[in-house]
Amino acid sequence: MNRRILFSLLSALAIGFSGCQKAATDEIAVGEFASLTGKEATFGISSHEGTQLAVEETNAGGGVLGKKIKLITEDNQSKSGESANAVNKLIAKDGVVGVLGEVASSRSMEAAPICQSNQIPQVSPSSTNPKVTETGDYIFRVCFIDPFQGTVMANFARKTLKAQKAAVFTDVKSDYSKGLAKYFKEGFIKAGGQIVVELDYNGGDKDFKGQLTAIKSAAPDGIFLPGYYTDAALICIQAKELGISVPLFGGDGWESDKLTEIGKEAVEGNYFSTHYTPEAGGEKGKAFVEAYKKRYNGKVPDAMAALGYDSAMVLFDAIKRAGTTEGPKVRDALAATKEFEGATGKTTLNAQRDAEKAAVILQVKSGKFSYVETIAP
Ligand code: PHE
């Protein structure tokens, strides 16, 4: 063998061994990208734990198509740009047959065109912006979307909180926040309310007092805050410092123990909508809560954990029904998902590749999230 050929063979081997985690022939590689560190780390950790549990249960039950699932997880550090890198690597190097992720809509939307062009199905557990699945026919989600969530919170503000005038405070860096703000406004006006002031911030900002002062002088009956938990907690604290006493309320982005850890008494009494509560579930839901607690030292699962579990189980079910891991066939099987019973109840994927599920409203009470009501689609 001449030297040049030997050299290129050796370097190909070296590349093969460095970083590439290709599954063995008796394994099916499934990719996951998640915010395991950084600003929204509790989202990524919860959804990863749910996904991991689904993999372990599936493998203990014999796997899928006679093979074990090998889950390959990449951390995007809650940063924009990193999800595209992660998913390119998962597809090109690791040869994954499906991609699970993300929680945050902006990050799911970063990965979606890559999955779409490679014909690798992507299942987001909990990204609610409509644009996520509009990217193409390989992109799915197992949760409701924000036109529904925004309407739920608009009706809640009008009917339960009896708000006539609302303020909306949006994170312009987040597709999720911008979308949810828009659907809330539409729903609130339709329900006979009035939006008296709309202001913006950039996710990660620390000082919100300028905008909050303007909000205060518009004298709303409530403030809609469709952001993520770190910013939401700081905004609640600064609102309180400014003497704002009307309720603040948000969407699923508030759901983290960090909301109360950071916000303490400033978040007490406030409300948010989300996908799930461990208190209201069917038989599969209850079994999931028990298994999750056992696996993670008594930790109670949140919406992201339950949806992370369901995203993986729905993908595995589709691979089983497809009888193959070929992208186009798994895609078709995913699109045909009907009444799949999981941790969050039944998942049916509609023609837009979205799930239609009920929302729950929770209230912060004594540092815990207490169940208020369920709102059907
Ligand atoms: N729905 C949010 C988004 O699309 C993410 C989220 C899901 C946050 C579930 C909390 C719970 O960005």
Side-chain angles (χ1 to χ4, degrees), residues 19 31-33 44 70 87 150 235 237 267 295 306 311 313 320 359:
E32 181 199 21
F33 68 113
K70 181 181 164 78
V87 169
I235 291 168
I237 293 173
V267 294
R295 173 68 174 79
S311 66
M313 286 303 200
K320 281 183 202 159

Side-chain angles (χ1 to χ4, degrees), residues 43 103-105 126-129 176 228 252-253 275 304:
F43 288 170
V103 172
S105 291
S126 48
S127 289
T128 46
N129 188 289
Y176 158 74
Y228 292 138
D252 53 352
H275 307 261
M304 286 117 323

Side-chain angles (χ1 to χ4, degrees), residues 43 102-108 124-129 132 141 143-144 146 149 174-177 180 227-229 251-256 273-275 302-304 307:
F43 288 170
E102 225 251 27
V103 172
S105 291
S106 297
R107 294 193 285 266
S108 288
S124 162
S126 48
S127 289
T128 46
N129 188 289
V132 172
R141 78 179 107 216
C143 60
F144 59 59
D146 285 333
Q149 179 167 220
S174 150
D175 291 299
Y176 158 74
S177 191
L180 193 50
Y228 292 138
Y229 58 88
D252 53 352
W254 279 36
E255 194 179 356
S256 169
S273 53
T274 186
H275 307 261
D302 55 15
M304 286 117 323
L307 288 167

Side-chain angles (χ1 to χ4, degrees), residues 19-249:
C20 177
Q21 302 182 49
K22 257 206 172 70
T25 47
D26 59 344
E27 289 176 327
I28 294 175
V30 169
E32 181 199 21
F33 68 113
S35 54
L36 297 176
T37 55
K39 221 172 139 272
E40 279 94 41
T42 74
F43 288 170
I45 292 168
S46 283
S47 65
H48 172 67
E49 286 173 348
T51 299
Q52 179 71 37
L53 181 63
V55 170
E56 287 168 9
E57 284 181 4
T58 301
N59 285 343
V64 174
L65 309 179
K67 296 182 177 190
K68 292 275 157 73
I69 298 286
K70 181 181 164 78
L71 182 70
I72 303 166
T73 305
E74 293 292 326
D75 176 14
N76 57 31
Q77 302 160 48
S78 311
K79 284 187 191 148
S80 61
E82 291 302 323
S83 297
N85 291 342
V87 169
N88 272 320
K89 182 250 174 199
L90 287 168
I91 294 175
K93 274 194 161 181
D94 302 327
V96 300
V97 304
V99 169
L100 300 170
E102 225 251 27
V103 172
S105 291
S106 297
R107 294 193 285 266
S108 288
M109 282 158 62
E110 224 184 81
I114 301 165
C115 292
Q116 180 68 28
S117 63
N118 284 284
Q119 297 191 312
I120 298 292
Q122 176 185 351
V123 185
S124 162
S126 48
S127 289
T128 46
N129 188 289
K131 285 186 269 176
V132 172
T133 50
E134 283 166 11
T135 306
D137 60 351
Y138 276 77
I139 319 301
F140 298 83
R141 78 179 107 216
V142 294
C143 60
F144 59 59
I145 56 174
D146 285 333
F148 170 64
Q149 179 167 220
T151 310
V152 163
M153 285 318 276
N155 290 334
F156 174 76
R158 281 292 292 137
K159 296 188 184 132
T160 308
L161 300 181
K162 308 254 182 292
Q164 169 61 35
K165 297 181 290 170
V168 179
F169 196 17
T170 308
D171 172 2
V172 285
K173 267 195 175 165
S174 150
D175 291 299
Y176 158 74
S177 191
K178 289 187 285 185
L180 193 50
K182 170 175 180 274
Y183 302 116
F184 172 82
K185 279 190 280 179
E186 289 172 3
F188 194 73
I189 292 166
K190 210 169 148 206
Q194 195 192 345
I195 304 293
V196 289
V197 58
E198 284 174 54
L199 285 161
D200 293 343
Y201 66 93
N202 286 295
D205 283 354
K206 295 283 170 274
D207 184 359
F208 304 92
K209 290 223 164 118
Q211 297 99 310
L212 286 169
T213 305
I215 288 175
K216 191 182 175 189
S217 57
D221 307 316
I223 303 168
F224 186 54
L225 192 53
Y228 292 138
Y229 58 88
T230 317
D231 303 323
L234 290 178
I235 291 168
C236 288
I237 293 173
Q238 294 177 24
K240 198 166 185 175
E241 283 168 6
L242 288 172
I244 293 174
S245 58
V246 297
L248 287 98
F249 45 94

